[in-house]
Amino acid sequence: MIQCAMVYFTPSKADSSPFAKFWKVLIVPKTLEVVPLAIIALLFSLQASAQPPARQGSASGIPRMPGGKPNLNGLWQAMTAAYWDLEDHSAQAGPVIELGAIGAIPAGRGIVEGGAIPYKPDALAKKKENYANRLKLDPEVRCYLPGVPRATYMPYPFQIVQSENDVLIAYSYDSAARIVLTAKHREAELDSWMGTSNGKWEGDTFVVDVAGFNGRAWLDRAGNFASDNLHVVERYSMLDPNTMNYEATLEDPTVFTRPWKISFPLYRHREAGARLLEFKCVEFVEDLVYRDAEKKPTR
Amino acid sequence: MQATYCTAVCVVSLALLVPAASGQSSQAIPPSEANFFIGTPAGWAQPKTPWGDPDLQGIWPLNNVGFVPLQRCYARQRYPGADPEKIANCDPNKKFFTEEEFKVLQETASKQSDRFTAAAKGGEAGRAFLTGIVDDMTPQRQTSLIFDPPDGKLPEMTPEGKRLAAQMKSTWPLPGENPVWDSYHDFDLWDRCITRGMPVSMFPFRYNNGLQIVQSPGQVVILLEMIHDARVVSLDDNTPLAPAIKQWMGLSRGHWEGNTLVVETTNFKAGASATNTAVIASPPGNRFPTSDQMKITEKFTRINDQYLIYEIKTEDPVVVTRSWTARFPLKVEPNYKLYEYSCQEDNRMVPDWISVSRAERAGGKPDASSTPPRR
């Protein structure tokens, strides 16, 4: 048990503080015997924060590909309430009364570093308008493609398929998928929902540069959004065999006053028979999307 | 997990040893009907991934066989060089064109004008789109995609298959049909941006034919450009299948037979059409039903650096009286670009066709220019 806890803690020394905090919260109440270790780990993390960035993201005891790169392959999912709202939020009633507690919104710690998204004043007004009209405007309601980074923290798993060079990420939601090119990069030629992804390894961290967005995707169900000027840099770092840290920097001078960051852990699905299953949601929204067209009286 | 890697390392070591022992030279395989007239050069070695699996990775667009009719001697076939007289005299046993006939096909294809580029160059962007942006297609020696049944035609439907077909709807009319649209239920799954379904997702359409294979230890993914489908094939997966789980693209499992990837797919959700009129010489109407008893078996065999031979067998005892198998070569096209095929996001077809159909029935003749183009 102690050894196991050590494995879990060792990588956190290389990690930024929100994540170290997360583990402290998660593990301490569960297994009291690791409390001293938590303190040691915390000390380690304080010590590590003074170290040069080159050592960040390197973890021992993680699966590796032939050739030595970390092996990110697997079925992953976030365990946050960020899909409702990237920022801190209380539990509250959901937008559809009929769904009762099923559709209610769980409370959640935000995943935004620094707490709040740095909107420009106009953009903040638009965010509020989005929120007020979210049942009409949220692309998820109509089963539109999720965009990046939203796809990563939706309440559905996704599969990373990592080859020796390129990496494919297949999301359960809407069968969305994207190729991350590492060998031969591709410029974004056309704007799209999922953007154009190019990847590289920085030590043990897989860094993905995503650009060429069409500006139509939202960031969550609370109306947070970006424009077609969005540029995302994602960082995937294995922490132990079954946990990965995900970090994304969002830069969009049209909407935000400065670049800002989200980070949270991703967990491996380990249940028997776990595999990526379809969530082709288009057919679940047709009664909604085509309601008006079908009801229109014959002219 | 670690055991897997130990195994992977051992396989890699073996793979390195075996060619050394056999002198690393294999005999050339000359072009023949068996390999679609695509030979394998002497000394060619199957490329392997770093973890020892045969390497099939790359972009293999389906439009490589976009000129090949699904069915042989099918009355509606429109491939270059085909004319009604030839179809009347078509020999159902002739599986391949002769070298001379093939040359004619190639010449005809090379003379095809590119209406899209012509319109785009003339500054007529709208007309360029209406020409239908068609992927480049290459003539092939084979006369049909289907090789089994031996006459190259889809098998007869069972009575139940016919009953199911009669219930299906599409914007692609049957001969003599005058369809009306009042609901999304009057459209097919492709019209509705849900899926093309199987097996037809693996056949060439007119556009967005991108197919990319990506491999990782334990997984092979077949990424399809149109309506963004990623078929995840888990290798050597022995966990029990969950019969209650039904999916439009099924659940796929794979294994290697020598250097051939064999993929078996079951757990289909019933109701997609197995064929689509976008594939030349398909039955009209996108109404060839599939049931949840369908089983699809595919084989991918790389035969040289540029080509693989693909085979897809469809069994569906509910719908058809026997299995049917298509086989064709795919060519790696590293410069083909897969674009995002967002579909639902801007699908005006369903609401607009309903509106036009109602206007027509109300006696109003809709303005031709307001009729939405087909996707």
Side-chain angles (χ1 to χ4, degrees), chain A residues 84 94-96 123-142 144 150 216 218 220-225 288 291:
Chain A
W84 279 108
V96 181
L124 184 61
K126 191 183 171 201
K127 184 256 162 176
K128 288 176 178 162
E129 202 185 305
N130 283 348
Y131 177 79
N133 297 296
R134 61 198 196 278
L135 276 183
K136 253 197 188 126
L137 299 179
D138 183 351
E140 188 190 351
V141 169
R142 298 182 157 237
Y144 291 175
R150 188 176 188 182
R216 293 171 67 187
W218 281 16
D220 57 23
R221 296 175 181 171
N224 286 307
F225 74 105
L288 170 73
R291 190 169 49 190

Side-chain angles (χ1 to χ4, degrees), chain A residues 71 163 193 278 280 296 299, chain B residues 5 57 229 247 358 362:
Chain A
N71 182 340
S163 189
W193 287 81
E278 275 179 8
K280 288 187 181 296
K296 207 178 286 173
R299 269 175 275 171
Chain B
Y5 282 91
Q57 296 184 94
D229 261 309
Q247 310 204 116
R358 286 178 173 170

